Amino acid sequence: MIERGPRPVAPFSHAVEADGWIFVTGQMPTDPDAPDAPLPEGIEAQTRRVLDNLTIVLGGIGLSFENIAMARIYLTHFDRDYAAMNATYLTYFEKGKLPARTTIGVTGLAVGALVEIDLIARRP
């Protein structure tokens, strides 16, 4: 568990490491400083909050977005939100240095979120 990390919405660790591989639990668009506050409005704001939460978790174990090998993104309104989520997502990565990725449309996410993202990273 990461001290400053978002409050889990279920029983899990923020991240688990095995042989230099780090598996980061899917993060929700909750505010670590106000976990009971309403979720941000819209897919762009929720995507930013999720990516900021992932930044906190990775930073808590001495890693950054440069260490991400794979991202999985879950969207509750795939057709509506895919393009806007992508535009926001791209702002967190150096141009030309994107991880592998899968994006999946789902029928629902915890806490009524529009987006959730989990990661696989590798320690250098």
Side-chain angles (χ1 to χ4, degrees):
M1 295 302 293
I2 306 304
E3 185 177 331
R4 289 187 40 244
R7 181 175 71 193
V9 298
F12 56 73
S13 298
H14 284 122
V16 173
E17 184 168 354
D19 295 325
W21 290 99
I22 294 80
F23 302 88
V24 180
T25 296
Q27 294 299 305
M28 308 310 297
T30 56
D31 185 340
D33 296 324
D36 296 318
L39 297 181
E41 295 271 338
I43 190 63
E44 295 92 344
Q46 286 198 19
T47 301
R48 276 191 300 278
R49 182 71 261 163
V50 167
L51 291 165
D52 290 346
N53 287 347
L54 289 165
T55 300
I56 292 167
V57 172
L58 288 169
I61 55 176
L63 298 176
S64 70
F65 275 55
E66 293 176 3
N67 304 106
I68 299 171
M70 176 73 183
R72 280 184 298 245
I73 302 172
Y74 307 88
L75 295 173
T76 58
H77 299 282
F78 193 95
D79 291 337
R80 182 191 74 191
D81 292 341
Y82 185 71
M85 180 279 300
N86 275 327
T88 303
Y89 176 88
L90 283 171
T91 66
Y92 283 77
F93 294 91
E94 186 177 331
K95 186 173 178 148
K97 294 191 176 181
L98 296 169
R101 191 182 101 181
T102 299
T103 305
I104 305 158
V106 297
T107 59
L109 292 168
V111 301
L114 300 173
V115 60
E116 178 177 353
I117 302 174
D118 67 36
L119 304 173
I120 300 171
R122 179 81 172 156
R123 194 171 294 284

